[in-house]
């Protein structure tokens, strides 16, 4: 079967399935696929030389548009480079499509160059794998457009394709059905202590969730990615771990994505706490027994009707006010500590149209210590099957065409994704600010009791200490650069050019802050 027929059929099927954007990593094997895409007036094409970053960029595009985005690779280990992004898309419930060129099926198991076992390489992390060997193959059968999908296309290295001519129809993803009866019953035990944990939300769900929270008036633990953190006023819990440890509410209602805080992991060890999750991803986020209602969060809450005020039966919010006040005092006492510099950054970031938070420490510190008076319209993050993988690429993909976009990453996270700026050339936007919190390694591990007990050499290996600044990296890509080593120096203004802002917190003040914070 000639490549032109197969490639044209694949591209037509993809367009019909609603896939408009394609991130192309060109190679000898996938040239006919690329030619078919270029021949189509309906395809939007991006280009990158490195598959791993390309996968996360495509994930970012699907986060922005909430529509399918595809990555097109050549054969061999190029396909394997997509696995991290596929895993992330699986747990987020994003329609990331993988189109991998492959050698003809007769080469499988032969050990021939660029011949690996590509069908099934993504295992359970894709909804299905279509192994395409002819134009008769049926593609995207029963795809709801809510999970990753793999097209593995067997091709030779020849032929030029004919134009794609098929009329493209509008793609409509399936909507989930749900029954709210169990959720209504869950509210009946609210008198035992009731807390709502809000993870990442889709923009269209936020208004409904906010109205629901104002109605029930209970303590709320809200991730920055909920988009509601700055709107909750006195109902926002200052320190989730302390609240869950001290008050032990017996009912936790989770709305949206799996929360990032440590308190959520600790629920594994408290099976007496009932947990009910309302989530578009369908994942419970816990290994122990809990209830899950799978569907669009706002739509489910609308289906509940009026719930009424449940209230704060444990007086958590009274103690919460004291905790907020004590925390602010500590931030003022240690202004050059990492948490305090994060608060200062958050004040400057109120000018941003969107904010992307990368890896574990920035997303947690932002949630705990950022200003809480002025909301940012869009706040996003990857859930983080590996906390530092592909974050910069995802931000770039998510914010194409969006001015005044901020990204806050750790130093190791940035080092892990240093080829990502190659993708910025085609992304139209001004006012981009990339903040790198450079604390010389993986400091999130430093506060773990187990790490503190390790031998010095072992601890050094775990923390990945380094002394690399980012000025030359910013210069290589042609970006403006500034470095700030104390809070008084920080000054960030909007610019047409990309700005790289390196923040170097005081290690001494950071250690003192966390010691004092632990004793509150």
């Amino acid at each position: 079967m000639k490549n032109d027929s197969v490639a044209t059929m694949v591209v037509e099927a993809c367009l019909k399935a609603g896939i408009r954007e394609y991130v192309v990593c060109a190679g000898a094997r996938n040239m006919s696929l690329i030619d078919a895409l270029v021949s189509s007036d309906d395809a939007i094409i991006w280009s990158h030389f490195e598959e791993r970053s390309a996968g996360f960029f495509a994930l970012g595009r699907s986060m922005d548009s909430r529509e399918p985005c595809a990555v097109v690779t050549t054969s061999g280990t190029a396909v394997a480079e997509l696995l991290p992004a596929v895993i992330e898309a699986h747990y987020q419930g994003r329609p990331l499509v993988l189109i991998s060129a492959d050698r003809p099926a007769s080469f499988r198991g032969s050990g021939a160059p660029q011949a690996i076992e590509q069908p099934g390489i993504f295992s359970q992390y894709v909804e299905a794998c279509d192994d395409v060997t002819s134009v008769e193959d049926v593609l995207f059968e029963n795809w709801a457009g809510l999970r990753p999908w793999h097209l593995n296309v067997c091709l030779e290295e020849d032929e030029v394709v004919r134009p794609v001519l098929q009329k493209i129809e509008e793609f409509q993803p399936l909507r989930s059905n749900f029954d709210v009866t169990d959720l209504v019953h869950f509210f009946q035990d609210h008198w035992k202590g009731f807390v709502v944990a809000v993870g990442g939300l889709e923009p269209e769900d936020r208004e409904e969730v906010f109205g629901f929270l104002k109605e029930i008036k209970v303590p709320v633990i809200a991730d920055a990615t909920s988009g509601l953190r700055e709107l909750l006023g006195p109902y926002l819990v200052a320190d989730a771990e302390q609240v869950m440890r001290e008050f032990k509410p017996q009912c936790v209602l989770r709305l949206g994505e799996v929360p990032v805080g440590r308190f959520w992991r600790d629920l594994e060890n408290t099976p007496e706490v009932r947990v009910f999750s309302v989530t578009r991803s369908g994942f419970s986020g816990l290994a122990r027994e809990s209830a899950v209602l799978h569907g669009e969060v706002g739509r489910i809450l609308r289906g509940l009707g009026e719930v009424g005020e449940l209230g704060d039966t444990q007086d958590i919010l009274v103690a919460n006010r004291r905790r907020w006040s004590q925390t602010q005092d500590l931030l003022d006492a240690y202004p050059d500590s990492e948490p305090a510099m994060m608060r200062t950054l958050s004040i400057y970031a109120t000018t941003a149209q969107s904010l992307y938070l990368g890896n574990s420490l920035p997303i947690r510190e932002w949630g705990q210590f950022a200003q809480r008076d002025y909301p940012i319209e869009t706040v996003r993050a990857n859930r983080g099957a590996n906390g530092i993988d592909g974050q910069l690429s995802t931000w770039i993909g998510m914010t194409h065409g969006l001015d005044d976009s901020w990204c806050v990453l750790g130093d190791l996270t940035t080092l892990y994704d240093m080829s990502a700026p190659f993708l910025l050339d085609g992304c139209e936007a001004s006012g981009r600010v990339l903040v790198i919190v450079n604390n010389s390694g993986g400091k999130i591990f430093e506060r773990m009791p187990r790490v503190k007990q390790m031998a010095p050499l072992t601890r050094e290996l775990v923390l990945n200490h380094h002394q690399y600044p980012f000025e030359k990296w910013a210069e290589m890509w042609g970006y403006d650069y500034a470095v700030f080593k104390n809070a008084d120096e920080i000054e960030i203004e909007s610019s047409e050019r990309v700005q790289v802002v390196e923040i170097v917190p005081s290690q001494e003040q950071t250690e003192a802050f966390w010691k004092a914070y632990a004793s509150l």
Side-chain angles (χ1 to χ4, degrees):
M1 182 61 63
K2 290 185 177 181
N3 286 356
D4 61 348
S5 301
V6 175
T8 300
M9 181 272 290
V10 167
V11 171
E12 288 180 341
C14 288
L15 290 168
K16 190 173 182 179
I19 305 163
R20 298 290 185 270
E21 297 193 48
Y22 300 81
V23 188
V24 170
C25 299
R29 186 72 49 196
N30 63 359
M31 285 183 183
S32 57
L33 285 166
I34 297 169
D35 205 0
L37 286 169
V38 171
S39 298
S40 169
D41 294 332
D42 295 294
I44 300 169
I45 300 173
W46 305 89
S47 176
H48 195 35
F49 61 88
E50 195 262 307
E51 290 82 4
R52 184 181 143 276
S53 290
F56 280 102
F57 177 85
L59 174 62
R61 295 303 304 134
S62 69
M63 290 169 69
D64 174 48
S65 66
R66 296 188 295 286
E67 293 181 354
C69 184
V71 188
V72 185
T73 76
T74 189
S75 58
T77 56
V79 188
E81 296 286 353
L82 297 178
L83 181 58
V86 174
I87 292 172
E88 187 70 37
H90 169 76
Y91 286 113
Q92 286 192 28
R94 304 286 177 195
L96 180 64
V97 177
L98 308 317
I99 305 175
S100 57
D102 196 357
R103 299 197 75 175
S106 59
F107 282 88
R108 291 175 188 167
S110 68
Q114 282 196 286
I116 66 172
E117 314 312 309
Q118 292 178 196
I121 193 171
F122 301 118
S123 187
Q124 71 266 31
Y125 297 111
V126 293
E127 191 171 335
C129 174
D130 293 327
D131 192 18
V132 185
T133 59
S134 76
V135 293
E136 283 78 33
D137 290 322
V138 177
L139 310 186
F140 298 110
E141 189 172 16
N142 299 321
W143 186 44
L146 301 174
R147 297 281 180 202
W149 194 280
H150 182 196
L151 300 182
N152 188 67
V153 188
C154 294
L155 298 165
E156 287 287 2
E157 298 172 12
D158 61 3
E159 303 293 341
V160 176
V161 303
R162 62 177 181 267
V164 180
L165 300 174
Q166 180 170 313
K167 179 176 173 59
I168 305 307
E169 302 171 2
E170 187 70 21
F171 174 71
Q172 295 292 337
L174 301 177
R175 300 189 73 180
S176 56
N177 296 316
F178 54 83
D179 181 346
V180 298
T181 304
D182 290 341
L183 180 55
V184 172
H185 292 159
F186 184 72
F187 295 134
Q188 294 174 356
D189 285 339
H190 73 273
W191 57 271
K192 297 179 180 179
F194 197 100
V195 167
V196 175
V198 189
L201 294 173
E202 296 300 295
E204 62 269 20
D205 292 328
R206 289 171 186 165
E207 183 177 355
E208 200 71 45
V209 172
F210 182 53
F212 171 75
L213 296 175
K214 286 197 300 182
E215 178 187 357
I216 64 174
K217 294 181 172 57
V218 302
V220 181
I221 301 166
D223 285 356
T225 51
S226 69
L228 302 179
R229 178 183 174 277
E230 295 81 13
L231 301 174
L232 291 168
Y235 298 106
L236 180 66
V237 170
D239 188 331
E241 292 178 38
Q242 184 257 358
V243 164
M244 299 299 290
R245 183 172 57 249
E246 180 178 345
F247 292 92
K248 287 200 183 338
Q250 294 302 293
C251 301
V252 176
L253 173 65
R254 164 196 151 206
L255 302 176
E257 296 175 359
V258 177
V260 300
R262 180 73 207 184
F263 84 93
W264 184 263
R265 297 187 186 187
D266 290 343
L267 287 172
E268 297 284 1
N269 302 318
T270 53
E272 69 276 10
V273 179
R274 295 180 61 206
V275 180
F276 200 116
S277 294
V278 179
T279 168
R280 56 177 287 279
S281 72
F283 293 109
S284 70
L286 294 170
R288 52 94 153 180
E289 183 179 357
S290 65
V292 178
L293 190 52
H294 182 195
E296 300 94 330
V297 177
R299 186 166 165 243
I300 288 172
L301 294 181
R302 283 194 298 274
L304 278 174
E306 186 175 349
V307 175
E309 182 175 335
L310 303 182
D312 176 20
T313 61
Q314 294 178 292
D315 290 331
I316 291 173
L317 297 176
V318 174
N320 186 55
R321 288 193 291 271
R322 182 176 65 254
R323 185 77 177 185
W324 275 119
S325 177
Q326 292 172 330
T327 300
Q328 294 306 306
D329 290 343
L330 284 182
L331 293 171
D332 293 337
Y334 302 102
D336 298 333
S337 66
E338 189 169 324
M341 293 184 86
M342 195 69 76
R343 179 184 63 172
T344 302
L345 275 174
S346 73
I347 295 170
Y348 280 94
T350 55
T351 63
Q353 295 298 310
S354 72
L355 170 68
Y356 183 91
L357 297 169
N359 78 337
S360 301
L361 197 52
I363 196 171
R364 291 185 186 182
E365 289 182 341
W366 195 281
Q368 287 179 281
F369 308 118
Q371 64 82 26
R372 55 193 184 101
D373 296 318
Y374 303 99
I376 298 172
E377 184 175 339
T378 302
V379 183
R380 291 283 199 180
N382 273 345
R383 181 64 195 91
N386 173 349
I388 67 173
D389 205 356
Q391 305 280 6
L392 187 51
S393 298
T394 304
W395 171 60
I396 294 170
M398 187 193 82
T399 55
H400 166 59
L402 186 61
D403 293 337
D404 300 316
S405 300
W406 280 52
C407 179
V408 181
L409 302 180
D411 46 341
L412 294 183
T413 299
T414 308
L415 289 170
Y416 209 77
D417 202 16
M418 295 192 81
S419 71
F422 186 86
L423 291 156
L424 260 177
D425 285 344
C427 288
E428 299 175 357
S430 63
R432 288 182 180 272
V433 178
L434 169 59
V435 178
I436 303 170
V437 182
N438 190 350
N439 53 25
S440 302
K443 291 301 175 71
I444 191 171
F445 302 118
E446 202 165 47
R447 300 199 310 272
M448 296 176 66
R450 181 181 178 185
V451 174
K452 291 178 181 179
Q453 297 170 6
M454 288 177 173
L457 179 57
T458 307
R459 190 162 57 248
E460 284 293 310
L461 291 172
V462 169
L463 297 179
N464 286 304
H465 280 308
H466 69 88
Q467 297 298 322
Y468 301 127
F470 289 86
E471 182 176 8
K472 295 299 182 183
W473 177 75
E475 181 184 335
M476 181 184 80
W477 293 106
Y479 302 154
D480 291 340
Y481 171 82
V483 59
F484 302 114
K485 297 186 178 181
N486 60 67
D488 290 339
E489 294 178 349
I490 297 176
E491 187 173 349
I492 307 171
E493 297 181 358
S494 182
S495 169
E496 288 294 314
R497 290 160 56 88
V498 177
Q499 297 181 72
V500 174
V501 176
E502 187 171 350
I503 301 295
V504 184
S506 162
Q507 182 173 348
E508 181 180 353
Q509 285 200 23
T510 300
E511 291 175 354
F513 173 90
W514 284 115
K515 182 177 180 180
Y517 187 77
S519 65
L520 289 181

